[in-house]
Amino acid sequence: MKRPTKLKKILIIDFGSQFTQLIARRIRELGVFSEIVSHKNLKNIDQNELFGLILSGGPLNVYQNKKIKLNKNIFTFDCPILGICFGHQMISKFYGGHVKSSKTREFGLAKIKKTKNSILTNNFFDKKNLNNVWMSHADHVTKIPKNFKKIASTKDSKYTIIENSKLKRFGVQFHPEVTHTMKGMILLKNFVFKICKAKKNWSSKHQKNNLIKKAKNQIGKDKVICALSGGVDSSVVAQLLNKSVGKQLKCIFVNTGLLRKNEEKQVVNTFKKKLKIDLIYVNAEKLFLSKLRNVEDPEKKRKIIGNLFIKIFEKYAKKIKNVKFLAQGTLYPDLIESKSVTGSQTSKIKSHHNVGGLPKKMKLKLVEPLRLLFKDEVRKLGLELKLSKQIISRHPFPGPGLAIRMPGQITKEKIKILKEADHYFINELKKENLYNKIWQAYAALLPVKTVGVMGDNRTYDYICLLRAITSSDGMTADYFDFSKKFMQNVSNKIINNIKGINRVVYDVTSKPPSTIELE
Ligand code: XMP
């Protein structure tokens, strides 16, 4: 089997900065492939695959030799290297400069002044040779290496931009990847195209053709199964494999009874009827409801749903003969956050539900065509694959579905009320053109009844909680600021139309300290 040639890239060596993913996204936005690798994991880097290297920021100190596992060989590479924040200090130290801890942290916006011309800063400064950059550091470079030039400084850090153009080594103390740094993209663009001389090789169209080919190569003539949820990621995976291996793809869609209103109809209609994908529809509403009866503990709910899902999926998958592969919508951030890529581990807050347990049990090999993509790239790819905007722009929806938006016991009556409330809320967001400005929004049903008055009658009904957040990746989030008029309108619509709710509240907590879902 012919191995597809590897894409040339800008490689980012991660030292644990919270902005590392952002650097990769920015490079990709410029149309050039970019990947992240941990400084602890630098064994097999092939120079020929690199346009250039970027050393990220991070919480370490350049003199913590035991903690920094960076293979110094990279400094012998012929390709250009850009150090950002901690990376800037690493370059300075490696080539013989000095780095010192300072008592004053430089944090937030800083005025930077140009002292020399550099290709890196072409069009970066204004007419007065100034710019605003975003800083986040305590240590700083106090002496630059021999043969390096100072390009710019701020009040608190003398060597804010340095370079050795002959060696093609550059360092910036600030973060060009964050939007607070004005014209940060121009600086990165200069590095990528003018210094690394990178060629554009990353677009949705390019990815589409590449991924279709790659999946075909991997799957060959075997069969592949895919758990379709109706969400963006699994929809894009299914359509990509549909284009790649056609009838060798079998999708299984389990209706847990905990989906959004009419979701099962939409999934069957889109994938079975419109896209002609071979789809097995399993209605397991009753089974899920019976297994969840009287269960209140959030983790128990999640475990029951996850296990049941796998059991059902397995049962139907076994009926399909000669299956060798399981397709999953794993994304790049999932890989970066897992130990295997960065060497860091995130603590478990909630046990997320997916079909991860299956491949081992069923001896299936994984097909993960989206494993190098960020969410926004998956959305663009979906459009390129001609999936409808309605599917592509859908807010994320958790595997355990409405079960974790209904603290306490799960009953048929509560599910019915919640589906309606969510439907009204989402419809109003769409009507007011707010849906696409919000990362995720939903209604939840609290397990508390309160007294109300409707007409002249006393009511004693549930509280509906609305949550709407802005976020870039779901890791952190802020609540969306609605107008009073909008809130009043939604609240009226929900209470007037849904029997069982007499009070609506809005969740104004961010993440952290709260999580996005209630359970
Ligand atoms: P939390 O509540 O952890 O949610 O702040 C972060 C994002 O993850 C989604 N979520 C899940 N997605 N399976 C999923 O596929 C799950 O079990 C799950 N739990 C939470 C949540 O909707 C939000 O977008």
Side-chain angles (χ1 to χ4, degrees):
M1 198 188 299
K2 205 176 141 232
R3 235 181 124 222
T5 45
K6 284 202 169 166
L7 272 183
K8 218 166 161 173
K9 63 196 161 203
I10 300 274
L11 187 69
I12 298 158
I13 299 181
D14 179 36
F15 292 97
S17 161
Q18 51 176 323
F19 303 123
T20 305
Q21 285 194 36
L22 207 49
I23 308 173
R25 289 173 73 155
R26 295 286 179 251
I27 306 293
R28 290 181 181 196
E29 280 166 27
L30 293 170
V32 175
F33 181 50
S34 172
E35 262 192 310
I36 300 171
V37 62
S38 164
H39 64 108
K40 296 176 191 162
N41 219 347
L42 282 183
K43 274 183 206 125
N44 306 316
I45 300 180
D46 180 356
Q47 272 197 73
N48 296 319
E49 282 171 14
L50 303 182
F51 287 125
L53 270 174
I54 294 181
L55 312 185
S56 85
L60 298 166
N61 167 300
V62 291
Y63 297 105
Q64 287 174 302
N65 289 331
K66 278 197 186 139
K67 288 196 178 154
I68 303 165
K69 303 280 184 244
L70 183 67
N71 180 349
K72 302 285 185 321
N73 266 344
I74 60 148
F75 291 111
T76 64
F77 286 7
D78 187 42
C79 69
I81 304 181
L82 170 68
I84 294 177
C85 196
F86 175 79
H88 163 70
Q89 297 161 10
M90 281 296 287
I91 289 180
S92 303
K93 182 190 159 230
F94 180 81
Y95 287 100
H98 290 167
V99 177
K100 269 206 180 124
S101 291
S102 78
K103 282 185 201 101
T104 51
R105 272 167 64 90
E106 201 178 8
F107 189 83
L109 276 184
K111 248 277 159 302
I112 183 171
K113 188 167 173 41
K114 177 169 117 176
T115 51
K116 255 195 188 67
N117 283 331
S118 161
I119 308 180
L120 187 68
T121 55
N122 234 340
N123 297 322
F124 179 68
F125 293 100
D126 65 14
K127 283 186 185 131
K128 292 181 179 157
N129 287 333
L130 297 171
N131 195 3
N132 287 323
V133 296
W134 200 82
M135 297 276 199
S136 173
H137 68 113
D139 296 359
H140 60 257
V141 177
T142 50
K143 184 177 160 235
I144 51 172
K146 237 167 111 182
N147 302 326
F148 272 68
K149 283 181 194 153
K150 176 174 94 174
I151 304 299
S153 51
T154 64
K155 187 166 74 44
D156 291 314
S157 70
K158 193 168 165 193
Y159 304 108
T160 311
I161 304 181
I162 60 166
E163 72 163 31
N164 179 328
S165 54
K166 218 167 149 198
L167 283 176
K168 295 178 279 189
R169 303 292 181 253
F170 301 82
V172 295
Q173 181 56 70
F174 56 92
H175 289 271
E177 70 277 20
V178 305
T179 48
H180 310 287
T181 292
M182 269 174 65
K183 300 193 202 161
M185 256 324 231
I186 290 185
L187 188 141
L188 291 174
K189 205 170 163 182
N190 289 338
F191 178 70
V192 170
F193 296 114
K194 293 202 164 113
I195 295 168
C196 297
K197 310 256 187 305
K199 300 260 174 326
K200 287 195 178 187
N201 62 1
W202 196 248
S203 69
S204 322
K205 196 171 171 189
H206 175 269
Q207 284 157 35
K208 181 185 86 173
N209 297 333
N210 223 8
L211 293 174
I212 287 177
K213 235 197 269 167
K214 251 184 148 169
K216 209 179 177 74
N217 268 338
Q218 189 187 357
I219 299 165
K221 296 218 168 346
D222 291 313
K223 280 189 189 147
V224 52
I225 45 170
C226 173
L228 198 60
S229 71
V232 181
D233 306 341
S234 69
S235 298
V236 174
V237 169
Q239 175 65 339
L240 188 92
L241 294 182
N242 185 29
K243 297 261 183 208
S244 172
V245 296
K247 291 284 168 234
Q248 289 158 251
L249 168 70
K250 312 278 163 197
C251 287
I252 299 174
F253 172 65
V254 181
N255 178 3
T256 57
L258 299 159
L259 302 168
R260 291 166 281 198
K261 190 181 173 186
N262 292 333
E263 193 158 7
E264 61 283 0
K265 285 188 195 129
Q266 283 162 8
V267 170
V268 173
N269 194 35
T270 305
F271 290 92
K272 197 167 180 144
K273 299 207 174 124
K274 279 199 195 135
L275 300 175
K276 309 279 181 233
I277 287 179
D278 195 347
L279 175 77
I280 300 171
Y281 170 74
V282 185
N283 188 349
E285 274 183 84
K286 281 193 184 137
L287 190 58
F288 274 90
L289 200 60
S290 75
K291 295 275 180 207
L292 287 166
R293 186 162 296 133
N294 297 329
V295 178
E296 292 192 6
D297 179 70
E299 276 301 290
K300 263 198 197 140
K301 282 183 188 172
R302 281 176 170 275
K303 291 259 158 64
I304 289 171
I305 294 169
N307 290 338
L308 200 53
F309 190 92
I310 289 185
K311 244 189 185 161
I312 294 171
F313 188 81
E314 200 179 7
K315 179 176 152 196
Y316 283 86
K318 270 188 183 154
K319 292 185 184 172
I320 308 166
K321 291 208 176 83
N322 300 326
V323 177
K324 289 248 167 67
F325 293 95
L326 171 75
Q328 277 192 342
T330 316
L331 303 192
Y332 199 41
D334 305 332
L335 291 181
I336 301 172
E337 277 146 28
S338 78
K339 205 177 172 193
S340 57
V341 176
T342 60
S344 62
Q345 210 173 9
T346 46
S347 66
K348 189 180 124 187
I349 310 289
K350 301 172 183 180
S351 40
H352 274 216
H353 143 127
N354 56 34
V355 282
L358 272 176
K360 243 195 207 157
K361 246 178 134 181
M362 294 183 63
K363 301 198 176 84
L364 294 173
K365 287 187 201 146
L366 278 181
V367 180
E368 297 176 309
L370 312 181
R371 66 200 302 278
L372 289 179
L373 303 188
F374 289 109
K375 190 89 178 182
D376 47 339
E377 293 177 316
V378 171
R379 291 203 158 108
K380 281 187 201 145
L381 176 67
L383 290 176
E384 192 67 43
L385 285 162
K386 304 268 179 310
L387 283 174
S388 71
K389 271 209 177 104
Q390 199 205 353
I391 293 180
I392 293 309
S393 56
R394 273 199 124 171
H395 289 172
F397 188 66
L402 300 183
I404 57 171
R405 294 178 177 177
M406 198 184 296
Q409 293 196 12
I410 296 168
T411 64
K412 211 168 165 184
E413 180 216 7
K414 279 164 112 182
I415 296 175
K416 194 169 162 234
I417 295 173
L418 181 51
K419 277 191 181 189
E420 286 301 321
D422 189 71
H423 182 65
Y424 272 103
F425 183 34
I426 298 297
N427 264 359
E428 285 308 308
L429 290 177
K430 287 185 177 161
K431 256 197 234 160
E432 299 298 321
N433 279 330
L434 292 170
Y435 187 78
N436 291 326
K437 293 186 181 139
I438 289 166
W439 197 80
Q440 189 172 15
Y442 67 83
L445 202 64
L446 300 186
V448 197
K449 285 192 169 183
T450 62
V451 174
V453 52
M454 281 177 99
D456 288 329
N457 294 321
R458 175 189 191 268
T459 56
Y460 188 57
D461 285 326
Y462 289 114
I463 300 177
C464 169
L465 174 141
L466 303 180
R467 183 127 170 90
I469 52 111
T470 53
S471 175
S472 62
D473 51 15
M475 302 293 287
T476 57
D478 195 5
Y479 77 90
F480 188 81
D481 206 3
F482 289 114
S483 67
K484 180 173 177 187
K485 195 170 150 221
F486 178 84
M487 293 257 77
Q488 250 169 355
N489 181 35
V490 175
S491 163
N492 285 343
K493 283 242 160 81
I494 289 176
I495 290 176
N496 291 341
N497 289 290
I498 306 169
K499 227 172 148 232
I501 295 174
N502 67 354
R503 196 176 292 267
V504 174
V505 297
Y506 185 51
D507 187 340
V508 294
T509 35
S510 57
K511 173 184 177 179
S514 288
T515 52
I516 296 174
E517 302 292 345
L518 296 193
E519 295 190 329

